Amino acid sequence: SIGGVVARAEIMNCLDSNSISTFGGSPVTMAAGLANLAYLLDHDLQGNARRVGGRLIERLRSGCAGLPGVREVRGRGLMIGVELVQPGTDAADPALGARVLEAAREGGLLIGKGGGHDTSVLRIAPPLSLTEAEADEGAEILLRALRSA
């Protein structure tokens, strides 16, 4: 992986070395990073995330409408959260989250859970190269898991 540090000049200028990373300056790492950036730009993966993510969010919102344990579907691009609560309340429902995660896994979809131990927000963060067909398939698996849980 590649990281960067940005700080005010008076902070950065106080460092006595050329690098603040144990892996800094590797030409192979820089070539790999450049290749990844070129691929991202050449294939408009940011635009794809915007388009496919918008489709996925709308599909999940419409599919979750009326499900008593779903408080909100939110996100931007392909970073999406589905907040689960105890029906009729605003209290998080971690047990429901665990059941949905397991049902989704059994259906072939791996997603995560965000927040602390007492929260139940399903975290959906697929690769930027996700296709519309893959998004539709994933949405259907997740909606089945939400309905069954």
Side-chain angles (χ1 to χ4, degrees), residues 36-56:
N36 275 282
L37 285 174
Y39 188 90
L40 181 134
L41 295 171
D42 291 346
H43 293 87
D44 189 26
L45 294 186
Q46 292 168 305
N48 184 67
R50 192 172 34 258
R51 286 186 303 278
V52 176
R55 176 186 178 111
L56 182 54

Side-chain angles (χ1 to χ4, degrees), residues 13-146:
N13 290 340
C14 75
L15 300 173
D16 292 333
S17 64
N18 291 332
S19 173
I20 58 172
S21 169
T22 56
F23 301 107
S26 166
V28 173
T29 302
M30 295 300 107
L34 185 58
N36 275 282
L37 285 174
Y39 188 90
L40 181 134
L41 295 171
D42 291 346
H43 293 87
D44 189 26
L45 294 186
Q46 292 168 305
N48 184 67
R50 192 172 34 258
R51 286 186 303 278
V52 176
R55 176 186 178 111
L56 182 54
I57 288 172
E58 288 310 311
R59 179 116 188 244
L60 291 174
R61 283 181 179 153
S62 65
C64 289
L67 291 178
V70 178
R71 180 173 187 228
E72 181 182 25
V73 176
R74 59 181 176 260
R76 184 173 184 169
L78 286 169
M79 184 70 160
I80 301 169
V82 179
E83 184 176 358
L84 304 178
V85 294
Q86 295 172 17
T89 74
D90 285 335
D93 195 341
L96 175 59
R99 291 193 307 273
V100 173
L101 286 177
E102 182 59 24
R105 187 194 61 76
E106 288 173 0
L109 179 67
L110 297 178
I111 57 174
K113 188 175 90 160
H117 69 282
D118 62 344
T119 64
S120 53
V121 178
L122 303 177
R123 183 181 296 164
I124 302 154
L128 297 176
S129 58
L130 188 74
T131 66
E132 289 184 0
E134 291 166 336
D136 291 345
E137 180 182 2
E140 190 51 45
I141 293 169
L142 181 55
L143 291 171
R144 273 197 309 268
L146 284 161

Side-chain angles (χ1 to χ4, degrees), residues 2-8 11-12 15 19-21:
I2 298 173
V5 177
V6 178
R8 293 185 316 270
I11 294 172
M12 293 304 291
L15 300 173
S19 173
I20 58 172
S21 169

